[in-house]
Amino acid sequence: MKSEDTPFEGGPMDGRVLPVLLGITGHPPKTYRIPVPDPRGGEPTVLVYRRVERGQGRLGLTRRWKYVHDPEGRRGRVRRWPWSRPDTTPGGKPDAPHG
């Protein structure tokens, strides 16, 4: 698989550049999680970095990416398909099928 040297900004990884594996689209993952072990053997801390565009590549054809520290460590948006939503209709009857 291909990898790309990707810079990190903010947090403990600020200024470092790591080789990140690219997906089938040629882009690195949207979220990069780094588990940091607890020195006392407790639950590891997870550093969360989000992918953002860092500018155009040569000739403006390819995008280049960097990771920015997300101190809150949000999980990102959860996409819910219309048919997977919980039943909120009065009387508890399922919605009519779409189609």
Side-chain angles (χ1 to χ4, degrees):
M1 291 192 88
K2 285 181 80 174
S3 66
E4 180 177 302
D5 290 338
T6 308
F8 286 74
E9 288 185 1
M13 298 293 291
D14 190 36
R16 295 192 185 175
V17 177
L18 296 177
V20 177
L21 290 176
L22 303 178
I24 59 173
T25 61
H27 297 204
K30 291 181 181 179
T31 305
Y32 196 87
R33 288 173 170 48
I34 304 170
V36 179
D38 184 359
R40 292 175 276 188
E43 200 60 33
T45 302
V46 178
L47 302 174
V48 179
Y49 285 83
R50 302 274 173 210
R51 181 186 77 185
V52 296
E53 200 171 325
R54 78 171 151 158
Q56 298 294 326
R58 293 183 294 167
L59 304 175
L61 297 176
T62 58
R63 287 187 179 153
R64 308 293 288 193
W65 304 98
K66 65 181 175 181
Y67 284 103
V68 177
H69 185 244
D70 183 357
E72 296 175 9
R74 296 181 310 253
R75 295 198 63 95
R77 284 188 290 169
V78 175
R79 293 183 182 161
R80 296 188 188 270
W81 301 102
W83 56 84
S84 67
R85 290 188 187 143
D87 181 21
T88 58
T89 58
K93 294 182 181 176
D95 293 334
H98 300 301

